[in-house]
Amino acid sequence: KSQLTNTLVGDKITAVSRKTNTTRTHTMGVKTVGDKQVVFVDAPGIVGSEHYRNAAHKRKVESAFGVASECDVLLFVVDAARHLERKDPRVLGIIEKTRNALSELLHEEYVTPEDGKSVIPEAILVLNKVDLIEKHRREELVRMVEKFQGKSFEFSRVFPISAMSGAGTKALMDHLLERAPIRP
């Protein structure tokens, strides 16, 4: 997710490492295109409580829920290549946990400026590292998306990308720019 943030912003604003849980606090980056601007927040990754190393790690993960509750759009970044090789049922659990945590934080009272209705932020599923998936296995991505879709979030869109090479990220960025709310 940090590599994706850097790619979308167009500059290195956050540390990228093969080691998990590198992001300790949220980092913000801004991309301006014409009269539109998108603010990206790279928050600590959300993992199941069985992976908490200590109380500080638990607080770090839980802070990500607070950051997410203030966003207009949430990107759920899944390592699609790894998930195809070793399906991890915890990924669905973490998505569901995120939805529940946001509901609690927002108390279903989050109000959009456009229509005044209570909503959870739009959720987008981002399938990363699709460049590592052999072409004959790409149809398996459809089944993967079907498993994720509707379990806890209704993903408005699904974007297969490679954050490292940038493949597919233009379509994602175009969608985010299209969704950018009008604000003072």
Side-chain angles (χ1 to χ4, degrees), residues 63-125:
S63 75
F65 292 123
V67 170
S69 71
E70 297 175 11
C71 295
D72 296 307
V73 178
L74 303 177
L75 303 181
F76 286 83
V77 183
V78 174
D79 182 336
R82 187 168 95 189
H83 195 75
L84 280 182
E85 290 303 315
R86 294 185 321 246
K87 290 185 181 26
D88 188 347
R90 295 174 296 180
V91 173
L92 280 174
I94 290 169
I95 291 171
E96 187 171 334
K97 177 181 179 181
T98 302
R99 168 67 165 86
N100 293 340
L102 284 172
S103 292
E104 284 181 34
L105 280 170
L106 299 170
H107 301 291
E108 297 295 340
E109 294 175 10
Y110 179 80
V111 178
T112 62
E114 297 85 25
D115 58 18
K117 294 181 183 174
S118 298
V119 297
I120 297 294
E122 176 186 2
I124 295 173
L125 180 60

